Amino acid sequence: MKMLRSLLIVSVVLVGGTSAQAALPEFSGEFPDNMTAAATSPKSEAAGGALVTECGKLEGTATFMGAKTGSVDLLFLECTGKVLGISVGKCTGLNDTTTGSLLLKGTFTLGFELETLIPVIGLSFESAHFECGSTLTVVTGCLVGTTTLVKSNTQEWLFKASGGKQELTDYTNDKGEMVSCKLLSSINGGEAKEFSLIMHVVQTVAKAIEVKD
């Protein structure tokens, strides 16, 4: 039965229209709703290990603006970097005043994983610049992760990757369109290449939020 539901939804998405939009999951609660975010040991990696950053923790804030969208500020703290396996010290955003901190700002959209009924979060980031030693990196693009369904004052977002590549890179957005979503990094002005981010974020919201599929 689940397979039949999945095939029906994918067929609707491919032809477009209001039915595709209605099939998408959505946040249920009171909006706007503010939240605080936290994670331990987030890690990022450029393809091929050109740059690996490891942070002690993440602190952030976000706002659920409606049934499918919101804004987010994620502050990574106690960050250090390795270039081709060699330690280059602390990594700091060009606009950050605390050594070892990196701020990523952007928006989030709720959708679902292609060919499944699994709700996902698409994070789209503003361009971010940071230095690890003498290595300057510019990060752009977006990120896809799964999210929890139950009605609660906490929301969990999980982003998985391996070898510099995200586990999820495509999703269906709130318009019923397929979105190809990747993070990219340019190191010292070089060609932009795939960049991964591993993190398990737990948000605490002021009012209970549920994801309904």
Side-chain angles (χ1 to χ4, degrees):
M1 181 62 71
K2 284 188 175 181
M3 178 64 70
L4 178 59
R5 290 179 65 198
S6 298
L7 290 173
L8 286 173
I9 287 179
V10 172
S11 298
V12 172
V13 169
L14 290 175
V15 300
T18 56
S19 295
Q21 296 183 43
L24 290 170
E26 62 181 27
F27 295 118
S28 176
E30 298 179 38
F31 308 111
D33 195 356
N34 297 322
M35 70 180 184
T36 57
T40 56
S41 304
K43 178 180 178 180
S44 64
E45 181 177 355
L51 173 66
V52 175
T53 63
E54 296 180 334
C55 302
K57 59 183 178 178
L58 175 151
E59 297 176 353
T61 60
T63 303
F64 290 89
M65 297 303 298
K68 295 181 176 66
T69 60
S71 60
V72 63
D73 287 10
L74 300 179
L75 181 63
F76 298 82
L77 299 169
E78 304 167 7
C79 300
T80 59
K82 292 181 180 179
V83 175
L84 298 175
I86 300 173
S87 176
V88 292
K90 293 185 177 181
C91 300
T92 305
L94 295 190
N95 295 320
D96 290 287
T97 56
T98 302
T99 301
S101 67
L102 314 171
L103 177 64
L104 290 179
K105 303 180 67 173
T107 58
F108 61 87
T109 300
L110 183 65
F112 62 75
E113 187 178 341
L114 297 182
E115 301 182 9
T116 76
L117 299 177
I118 300 174
V120 296
I121 291 290
L123 284 179
S124 296
F125 293 113
E126 299 174 6
S127 178
H129 301 65
F130 63 93
E131 286 183 323
C132 298
S134 60
T135 302
L136 174 64
T137 301
V138 180
V139 175
T140 57
C142 57
L143 188 66
V144 184
T146 56
T147 184
T148 50
L149 287 168
V150 296
K151 188 172 185 179
S152 173
N153 285 85
T154 61
Q155 274 281 318
E156 295 186 41
W157 295 353
L158 182 61
F159 302 89
K160 296 181 179 180
S162 177
K165 295 183 180 296
Q166 293 296 141
E167 182 175 290
L168 299 177
T169 57
D170 301 302
Y171 72 99
T172 301
N173 68 10
D174 61 341
K175 296 179 181 179
E177 303 164 336
M178 189 186 80
V179 178
S180 181
C181 189
K182 289 184 179 181
L183 275 183
L184 299 174
S185 67
S186 172
I187 298 175
N188 291 330
E191 178 186 357
K193 297 183 179 180
E194 198 166 345
F195 190 69
S196 70
L197 180 56
I198 301 171
M199 58 181 180
H200 181 185
V201 184
V202 178
Q203 296 95 335
T204 302
V205 295
K207 299 178 286 289
I209 292 289
E210 181 180 11
V211 177
K212 291 189 174 182
D213 60 0

